[in-house]
Amino acid sequence: YANVVSQAACLRCPEPPYTDEARKAKLQGNVTLRVLIGADGRAARIQLVKGLGLGLDEQALQAVRSWRFVPARDARRQPIPTWVTIETRFQLF
């Protein structure tokens, strides 16, 4: 991958919903994902780095698949694919 001049930024990134099982268990924490954001601003590949279980990992993966990003750009201002780490926080209020 080329040298990145500007990093990818989130354009539309709604929070993933809780699962009923996780809510009943009062499970809270972070799901960490490694995401390849393509030149088109979509998540091209997603890898689970750290999960929580009880369906929250799947909810985070599904949410990130639907997110849209402003892609990273190289020195020529061309959009390029880049890997980013995304943490999705699940917290009950």
Side-chain angles (χ1 to χ4, degrees):
Y1 297 101
N3 290 332
V4 176
V5 172
S6 66
Q7 293 291 331
C10 194
L11 187 62
R12 186 179 63 82
C13 304
E15 293 291 322
Y18 253 92
T19 61
D20 290 337
E21 301 91 10
R23 190 177 307 283
K24 287 176 187 172
K26 298 182 182 179
L27 181 63
Q28 299 186 97
N30 295 328
V31 173
T32 305
L33 304 170
R34 188 163 183 254
V35 181
L36 176 63
I37 299 172
D40 62 354
R42 296 176 185 260
R45 290 181 49 200
I46 304 172
Q47 301 170 344
L48 180 65
V49 175
K50 178 184 164 233
L52 286 173
L54 295 180
L56 295 181
D57 305 341
E58 292 79 12
Q59 291 288 40
L61 287 165
Q62 187 176 13
V64 171
R65 277 190 201 100
S66 71
W67 289 5
R68 296 297 170 260
F69 299 87
V70 175
R73 297 194 180 270
D74 65 10
R76 294 178 295 144
R77 307 283 303 145
Q78 298 297 314
I80 56 171
T82 188
W83 285 97
V84 297
T85 300
I86 296 175
E87 267 192 8
T88 303
R89 182 164 183 75
F90 289 92
Q91 183 175 7
L92 294 169
F93 295 99

